[in-house]
Amino acid sequence: MYSFNKTTQTTSFDLLFLIHLHLLFFLLINVTICPLASHGCYEEERRALLNFKSSLDDPSNRLTSWQEGILHENCCNWHGIGCSDESSRVVSIDLRNTNLENYIEETRYGKGTYNPPNTSLTGSIPFSICSQTQYLDLSSNKLSGIISTGIGYCNSLIYLNLGNNFLTENVPKQLENAKGLLFLQLNDNNLSGTFPNSIEKLLNLEILDLGNNNMEGIIPTGLGLLVGLKILSLRSNNFSGPIPKEIYNLPNLQILDLSINNLSGSILKIGNLRWLLSRPTEKYHFRDPGLDFSEKLMNFQFQFKMVIKGVMRKFEQLYVSSGIDLSCNALEGNIPEEIGQLEGLSMLNLSHNQFSGLIPATVGSMKGLESLDLRDNKLSGLIPQSLASLDFLSYLNLSSNNFSGRIPRGEHFDTLSGDGSVYANNSLLCGFLTNRTCDTDQNSITTDKHVDWLFYSFMALGFGVGFWGPFVVLLIRKEKWWFGYWRLVDIVAVRVTRLVY
């Protein structure tokens, strides 16, 4: 009995052991294998992201989810990472404003100053997974060094934002491999050199922002090939030479900001900016790229800076007012009359240049204009009365020019004047908001006084002749006095009539 029970117990134990082992194996399969089969990321991509993290300093601990371990195996769940629902490939990396820095061991030079070594982002940005990545945003961090040539592997990119970092040197030629790129923002860095030739070959670009860098040389005519451009910002660089006429032929251009450079020459006819010929009625949106991440791209936000109504404004979304800002350059010549064709333009800033001649009266046709800044130029002549017909105009600055004549008046237009600073430093202006009376007003006053004097003189003479004349005639009986008196009356009447008329 004992041996039978022992055998039975042993058999039962073995059976329970096998069952538990089976359950454990089943759990391991479900924990490790199943997630990778349905929702996990690829091992090489996970490793590349971990290598990327190891090259960065993350003082804000934004990348705590990026780590080894069974609970963090799926990199698609990591902070800032997005994967395709169909392929589980990493298609977006969004680490903007996470306070990331290149990991550099501090080295002291001289009197305690920190001078980090010309560090490259080669091997830091995870280029090994870039072949599938459509959205890469590392903006508003503290990344330094050059943009690696490895960016050429990111040939699926639609959106690339490396703005507001400390990147140096020029944009690598290999960027031209990203043929489908729609959005490129490299602003607020320390990039130098001439305009990157690689960008001229990105024929699908719709937004290009290279503002606030140290680039120099001329603006290439090749930009005219980017017919899809809606926003072009090269502000605050060292570009020189004329503005290429090809830019004025971009049919979809909505924002043009070339301010704070060393541009020279005159403005050519700009009536070919077709999108600005009528007031826009729809929001801006990307063309549908037809890729996995298109839905997010349609709804993404970005930061874009531009001076509007005299104030630097930051736009957080793609729907922004249309505008042309050519301020703070060395542009000269006349403002072309064709500018009046841009009825859809909301903002025009030509201040701090050397423009001369008249303000064309055609500006009155720019019905959508909300802001006009022409201060600090050499403009002269009359301020056109047509400006007073712009009902949407809410900001105006014409100070520091050579305007003359009467300041236009209008019920709405008068509200833009404020304390008169709008017209300051135009010594020949007169009328409204000035201490100078216009010549036409003075002539009108003088003429009115002259006519009044003649009128009262004529009345007095008429009264004298009409009342006293017959009385005198009755007293004078001599015929020679009679005829002499009426001759005198006729002569005086004729002369008074000529003076009045």
Side-chain angles (χ1 to χ4, degrees), residues 316-459:
E316 298 290 344
Q317 296 182 356
L318 275 177
Y319 184 51
V320 296
S321 297
S322 57
I324 295 177
D325 190 345
L326 306 180
S327 62
C328 301
N329 281 289
L331 299 171
E332 58 187 3
N334 296 333
I335 300 175
E337 292 189 2
E338 290 80 6
I339 202 168
Q341 299 176 24
L342 304 181
E343 296 184 15
L345 191 66
S346 297
M347 187 279 293
L348 178 62
N349 190 346
L350 303 180
S351 64
H352 302 283
N353 278 286
Q354 299 177 30
F355 290 112
S356 58
L358 305 174
I359 298 178
T362 55
V363 295
S365 301
M366 303 172 72
K367 300 301 183 182
L369 202 61
E370 300 176 13
S371 175
L372 178 62
D373 194 342
L374 302 178
R375 62 183 144 166
D376 200 4
N377 277 285
K378 298 179 179 179
L379 297 169
S380 59
L382 298 175
I383 299 173
Q385 180 65 36
S386 59
L387 276 178
S389 66
L390 299 178
D391 295 333
F392 290 100
L393 195 64
S394 58
Y395 177 84
L396 176 68
N397 199 329
L398 304 179
S399 61
S400 300
N401 278 284
N402 299 314
F403 293 119
S404 60
R406 184 190 302 275
I407 294 176
R409 301 293 304 275
E411 183 176 354
H412 169 69
F413 193 71
D414 289 352
T415 65
L416 308 178
S417 306
D419 58 358
S421 59
V422 168
Y423 307 108
N425 299 320
N426 285 282
S427 59
L428 299 179
L429 284 177
C430 61
F432 181 59
L433 292 176
T434 71
N435 296 323
R436 292 176 291 278
T437 302
C438 296
D439 291 340
T440 53
D441 294 336
Q442 185 64 44
N443 292 336
S444 177
I445 293 173
T446 303
T447 302
D448 290 343
K449 290 181 178 179
H450 187 58
V451 171
D452 290 344
W453 180 83
L454 290 174
F455 176 74
Y456 291 118
S457 299
F458 186 73
M459 286 185 61

Side-chain angles (χ1 to χ4, degrees), residues 114-158:
Y114 175 51
N115 185 13
N118 171 29
T119 301
S120 170
L121 293 182
T122 303
S124 295
I125 294 179
F127 292 121
S128 58
I129 64 172
C130 249
S131 61
Q132 301 292 324
T133 302
Q134 302 171 25
Y135 181 101
L136 179 59
D137 192 340
L138 301 176
S139 63
S140 300
N141 286 293
K142 298 178 181 178
L143 301 176
S144 59
I146 65 173
I147 301 175
S148 168
T149 57
I151 195 80
Y153 293 109
C154 305
N155 50 19
S156 296
L157 278 178
I158 296 172

